[in-house]
Amino acid sequence: MVAEMERGLRGDIHAQLKMLISYVDSLPTGDEHGLFYALDLGGTNFRVLRVQLGGKEKRVVKQQYEEVSIPPHLMVGTSMELFDFIAAALAKFVGTEGEDFQLPEGRQRELGFTFSFPVNQTSISSGTLIKWTKGFSINGTVGEDVVSELSRAMERQGLDMKATALVNDTVGTLAGGRYMDTDVVAAVILGTGTNAAYVEHANAIPKWTGLLPKSGKMVINTEWGSFKSNKLPLSEYDKAMDFESLNPGEQIYEKMISGMYLGEIVRRILLKLAHEASLFGDVVPPKLELPFILRTPDMSAMHHDSSHDLKTLGAKLKDIVGVADTSLEVRYITRHICDLVAERAARLAAAGVYSILKKIGRDKVPSGGGKMPRTVVALDGGLYEHYKKFSSCVEATLTDLLGEEASSSVVAKLANDGSGIGAALLAASHSQYQ
Ligand code: ADP
Ligand code: MG
């Protein structure tokens, strides 16, 4: 993965990691001031947020947010329908702005737009969509500037707001993480999909042809979800799932790791055992044939069942697959499969984190002696946040990979919803009024 990162930074068109330049060359300092909005379009939900920032002294004075789930038909509809839906929800949210939030007279409201899909940024506030991922498949957005799409939709809603920062969710999480803890150097998302961003030396990015930023730094959005390698062995279940997916051959690492897919891998294994070893008796439960019927949160609930008779797991199998009575043995087998799939995912995710640390030289104690600087990785995403056995395994594996000494300087920190506040912070530092 480190080798692919280097290829991506050179601009090799065959590189698997796109290593996108974010145009974020300085991260929040704490001085940010004023009222800012953020909009976070993820995979399942989108969030709108407003925050009143009070600078170094007062920090976050007040924040409010709302979460809206994206109707599935909009994920495969038209670009205009999706952006109209988003802008309408945002306009409604702006309508509820109370007196605790203050916009100076004559100013336009400003927004940080977190967009968790691969984008070719052309500036901090513009960029064109490279491709949809995570179950989205919308005609006519690829190649378009997503900020113009949003701006036009906001106009159609009569909403007077300017998007001053377009950021990937990993970049937003990195910004939000840095605001909370100045030692944050990288951010990783483990949610519906997976991705990571980190702070790179601007002079280590051969494909960057612009002026070197004053800070000497540049945040890189790795788009690591698209990693694949013949060193990354795929099972028959991975291959079949990929083949039947909306984006065959793409996002292979993501398909082995992220929340959209883990439950589906478990379903495929159970299905094979049902067919070939009569796991659920003589008839294969028809519901088990349905792709994506077993969702990762359900897998997690089954995996965490520690009761002696695996009662929760049995109830889940009944609910989801429709088999009323399962023997204790079948329940144990099911839990074991969840364990295998989650552990593989977690260990691969930890290997990714380790690659970034290796890339920036924070994987070991400096050779000249001295102590390794405290190094914080901000992690976010529903999978990491809610799937305890998964997150524990990510952390344990990272410790294994780093070894005792280096791992004592590395902290994995949950940055809960850091991307929203991060985007608002970046909107503030790129405000049109400064
Ligand atoms: P997104 O990635 O869409 O921005 P989130 O970060 O909230 O959104 O992640 C949502 C994903 O997290 C879900 O698609 C699901 O796969 C996973 N997830 C949510 N809750 C749980 C849970 N309890 N156990 C395991 N995975 C979960
Ligand atoms: Mg997200």
Side-chain angles (χ1 to χ4, degrees), residues 40 42-43 47 116 169 189 419:
D40 181 339
R47 299 178 189 89
S116 327
D169 55 344
I189 303 286
S419 71

Side-chain angles (χ1 to χ4, degrees), residues 40-43 45 47 114 116 134 169 189 191-192 380-382 417 419:
D40 181 339
L41 181 64
N45 297 311
R47 299 178 189 89
T114 306
S116 327
K134 298 181 287 194
D169 55 344
I189 303 286
T192 308
D380 196 14
D417 204 23
S419 71

Side-chain angles (χ1 to χ4, degrees), residues 163-203:
T164 60
L166 168 65
V167 297
N168 186 265
D169 55 344
T170 54
V171 177
T173 302
L174 183 56
R178 174 66 70 89
Y179 185 72
M180 306 298 172
D181 185 329
T182 52
D183 292 329
V184 169
V185 295
V188 172
I189 303 286
L190 294 159
T192 308
T194 183
N195 191 11
Y198 73 103
V199 183
E200 183 57 280
H201 296 288
N203 59 14

Side-chain angles (χ1 to χ4, degrees), residues 44-108:
T44 335
N45 297 311
F46 81 92
R47 299 178 189 89
V48 285
L49 169 144
R50 69 179 143 247
V51 56
Q52 184 76 40
L53 299 166
K56 277 243 157 58
E57 294 287 298
K58 299 195 187 129
R59 311 283 294 184
V60 175
V61 180
K62 194 175 165 91
Q63 65 171 315
Q64 287 175 330
Y65 81 97
E66 228 170 78
E67 197 162 282
V68 184
S69 64
I70 304 166
H73 72 272
L74 290 182
M75 298 182 187
V76 292
T78 69
S79 204
M80 195 156 144
E81 284 170 322
L82 177 69
F83 281 98
D84 277 343
F85 179 79
I86 292 167
L90 181 62
K92 199 170 147 220
F93 181 64
V94 173
T96 64
E97 186 184 288
E99 284 180 359
D100 301 338
F101 294 92
Q102 281 143 16
L103 187 73
E105 193 66 27
R107 283 200 176 187
Q108 197 180 16

Side-chain angles (χ1 to χ4, degrees), residues 263-374:
E264 171 63 5
I265 300 172
V266 170
R267 181 194 69 86
R268 285 171 180 271
I269 299 171
L270 290 175
L271 182 63
K272 176 154 184 184
L273 290 176
H275 275 291
E276 296 189 6
S278 305
L279 185 67
F280 299 107
D282 294 338
V283 278
V284 174
K287 282 174 81 181
L288 195 57
E289 304 270 4
L290 302 174
F292 293 96
I293 187 102
L294 177 58
R295 295 166 47 253
T296 304
D298 294 319
M299 164 190 177
S300 166
M302 296 199 294
H303 193 175
H304 286 94
D305 187 353
S306 56
S307 65
H308 66 281
D309 56 351
L310 300 182
K311 201 163 154 232
T312 308
L313 193 152
K316 283 276 171 202
L317 282 177
K318 185 172 169 212
D319 275 1
I320 300 160
V321 184
V323 277
D325 293 306
T326 41
S327 68
L328 192 56
E329 192 189 7
V330 166
R331 294 178 188 189
Y332 271 113
I333 291 170
T334 305
R335 191 174 67 178
H336 183 57
I337 294 167
C338 295
D339 195 45
L340 290 172
V341 173
E343 183 175 320
R344 182 186 69 157
R347 292 185 68 89
L348 285 172
V353 178
Y354 181 64
S355 314
I356 290 183
L357 296 176
K358 213 175 155 87
K359 178 71 187 68
I360 59 175
R362 296 287 183 95
D363 60 319
K364 51 176 179 272
V365 178
S367 48
K371 215 174 131 44
M372 195 171 113
R374 182 170 175 270

Side-chain angles (χ1 to χ4, degrees), residues 87-249:
L90 181 62
K92 199 170 147 220
F93 181 64
V94 173
T96 64
E97 186 184 288
E99 284 180 359
D100 301 338
F101 294 92
Q102 281 143 16
L103 187 73
E105 193 66 27
R107 283 200 176 187
Q108 197 180 16
R109 287 185 180 76
E110 293 177 309
L111 169 87
F113 182 19
T114 306
F115 187 73
S116 327
F117 300 92
V119 162
N120 252 330
Q121 299 255 165
T122 41
S123 74
I124 181 68
S125 59
S126 59
T128 55
L129 177 65
I130 297 172
K131 62 176 180 181
W132 289 108
T133 56
K134 298 181 287 194
F136 277 68
S137 176
I138 293 172
N139 274 334
T141 328
V142 171
E144 295 294 316
D145 184 340
V146 290
V147 174
S148 329
E149 299 269 317
L150 176 66
S151 305
R152 283 200 293 267
M154 290 193 297
E155 266 170 44
R156 288 194 291 272
Q157 292 296 328
L159 176 60
D160 182 25
M161 189 178 290
K162 186 180 171 72
T164 60
L166 168 65
V167 297
N168 186 265
D169 55 344
T170 54
V171 177
T173 302
L174 183 56
R178 174 66 70 89
Y179 185 72
M180 306 298 172
D181 185 329
T182 52
D183 292 329
V184 169
V185 295
V188 172
I189 303 286
L190 294 159
T192 308
T194 183
N195 191 11
Y198 73 103
V199 183
E200 183 57 280
H201 296 288
N203 59 14
I205 312 171
K207 71 178 173 185
W208 173 255
T209 52
L211 290 174
L212 279 189
K214 257 205 317 243
S215 65
K217 303 278 168 55
M218 178 60 78
V219 173
I220 295 292
N221 163 17
T222 64
E223 287 296 333
W224 79 10
S226 60
F227 181 67
K228 61 181 155 196
S229 162
N230 52 15
K231 297 192 180 72
L232 195 62
L234 297 176
S235 68
E236 59 180 276
Y237 312 104
D238 298 311
K239 287 179 189 158
M241 179 176 75
D242 174 47
F243 186 75
E244 291 165 32
S245 71
L246 285 172
N247 51 353

